[in-house]
Amino acid sequence: MLTIIKPGPQLTIQDLGRFGHRHLGVSQCGALDSDALRVANLLVGNNEDAAALEITLGMAKLRFERPCCFALSGADMSANLNGKRIETGWCYRAEAGQTLTFASSSLNLRCYLAISGGFALEPVLGSCSTDCMAGFGGLDGQVLKEGQQVAFATSKFEWLNWGAKLPRRQGPIHYIAEPREFGLAAKLKLAFSEATWQVSAQSNRMGLRLQAEPTSADLDESISHALSIKSTAVAPGSIQLPPSGEPIVLLNDCQTTGGYPLLGQVIAADLPRLGQLRGGHRVTFTPVTLAQARQLNQQHQNELNRLRLAMRYRRESS
């Protein structure tokens, strides 16, 4: 059992998401940084898609009610286990009664806590991810609150003093440009990729709201418009352009249809990067072809595969 002493701004239960139900209007949800979730689970011997805690912004405090192995991955929030510094990307053992505390990170937004054996939860539509908008999944379909307890399964996993991190990619976010025009002028679409954007503090799990930097010389003219379209399908990574001219990059909790013109779709390999962007972060976008997107996505999968093989070898040789 894990007791929530202090939940911080937003503490939820997430796995890799809920798939196959978008035609029914059901959002995907799931970990916004799926790479970090995978690493945390692999470190404690879980399946990669096991449910974990998604800690947003930090400032949380948790208590282990019985011994277990656990791992953190993602943002380094200066975590401490009974006053001892805990590093992200490493496996640790906690004893009954020990507390795990989190400060915050100035670099990234989300950290994931996985416990060996996984959390004992009942899946809804094939996933334990919390859908706060619809009110199901996770624990009571809502963010975790002070005093709540989350049960975790018994595991035979033997504690290993090991760690693993995926390389954090830098540079622009890659996207495939939307082939439909929606009445948007070509120069307006070009302006999006040439501008430097700043993540708004109003962003959330539904989407990243972007604002052009006031001093940016990349945006020579406003990209506001007065267009509307018939509702069309959207998904995590879809880039919408509202009339205000301030784009929204949809994230995992987004709706399944939208009425704003689309600028493109962020490639799968870069979606986990979006989940770590916090208010004030500067970001640029670069369009790529389908062939380039496939290559970048394959490189990302190769990184994951190398990590899986290395960790499997390490476990078997211990």
Side-chain angles (χ1 to χ4, degrees):
M1 194 75 72
L2 186 70
T3 300
I4 313 301
I5 299 175
K6 181 182 177 183
Q10 188 177 54
L11 180 66
T12 61
I13 296 168
Q14 303 292 343
D15 53 26
L16 287 180
R18 193 167 280 111
F19 297 94
H21 305 287
R22 293 191 71 80
H23 65 294
L24 300 174
V26 179
S27 300
Q28 175 182 315
C29 300
L32 290 184
D33 185 347
S34 57
D35 287 349
L37 177 84
R38 293 178 191 275
V39 170
N41 275 319
L42 287 170
L43 283 169
V44 294
N46 293 345
N47 291 332
E48 292 179 33
D49 61 349
L53 293 189
E54 182 179 83
I55 303 147
T56 303
L57 285 173
M59 295 172 281
K61 184 176 182 180
L62 316 170
R63 183 173 65 240
F64 297 96
E65 304 298 349
R66 61 184 177 87
C68 67
C69 293
F70 73 95
L72 302 177
S73 186
D76 184 351
M77 295 179 172
S78 301
N80 282 271
L81 180 66
N82 267 31
K84 180 182 178 181
R85 183 75 161 86
I86 295 296
E87 302 291 340
T88 57
W90 285 89
C91 181
Y92 294 91
R93 179 173 174 81
E95 302 298 336
Q98 290 188 320
T99 57
L100 182 63
T101 60
F102 298 84
S104 61
S105 169
S106 60
L107 299 177
N108 296 310
L109 190 58
R110 293 178 172 89
C111 178
Y112 295 84
L113 166 65
I115 294 180
S116 183
F119 291 104
L121 299 164
E122 201 64 40
V124 178
L125 297 177
S127 171
C128 294
S129 287
T130 307
D131 188 330
C132 295
M133 298 296 292
F136 58 77
L139 197 66
D140 301 327
Q142 297 297 324
V143 297
L144 296 175
K145 300 178 178 62
E146 179 181 339
Q148 285 187 307
Q149 292 187 315
V150 189
F152 52 85
T154 302
S155 172
K156 296 181 180 180
F157 177 79
E158 295 184 6
W159 174 68
L160 294 171
N161 186 19
W162 67 347
K165 286 186 179 180
L166 279 172
R168 183 60 62 182
R169 292 179 301 282
Q170 304 294 326
I173 299 294
H174 302 92
Y175 72 100
I176 298 171
E178 172 61 48
R180 293 170 292 180
E181 293 185 358
F182 294 119
L184 297 174
K187 63 179 181 180
L188 187 150
K189 295 182 179 181
L190 182 62
F192 170 73
S193 62
E194 291 182 342
T196 299
W197 300 95
Q198 190 174 72
V199 177
S200 167
Q202 302 304 313
S203 301
N204 54 32
R205 282 187 51 90
M206 291 187 68
L208 284 180
R209 294 181 176 272
L210 305 177
Q211 300 170 329
E213 290 200 330
T215 58
S216 176
D218 302 314
L219 196 61
D220 294 328
E221 58 182 282
S222 171
I223 60 173
S224 60
H225 63 86
L227 300 170
S228 63
I229 65 170
K230 294 181 179 179
S231 290
T232 188
V234 294
S238 295
I239 306 170
Q240 293 184 315
L241 186 63
S244 65
E246 297 184 335
I248 301 172
V249 185
L250 299 182
L251 298 180
N252 295 30
D253 285 9
C254 72
Q255 69 279 16
T256 57
T257 61
Y260 294 141
L262 297 173
L263 294 172
Q265 178 72 31
V266 174
I267 69 170
D270 282 353
L271 287 177
R273 296 173 58 190
L274 297 177
Q276 292 293 0
L277 297 178
R278 56 184 298 160
H281 272 171
R282 298 169 72 247
V283 60
T284 58
F285 294 82
T286 296
V288 293
T289 65
L290 281 172
Q292 291 171 324
R294 292 190 186 100
Q295 183 179 15
L296 290 166
N297 288 337
Q298 187 58 58
Q299 290 174 358
H300 179 239
Q301 284 303 311
N302 291 343
E303 291 174 357
L304 288 171
N305 289 335
R306 283 193 293 269
L307 178 63
R308 294 175 182 120
L309 289 172
M311 297 182 75
R312 178 180 176 182
Y313 175 78
R314 174 70 172 83
R315 285 192 63 182
E316 292 177 350
S317 61
S318 297

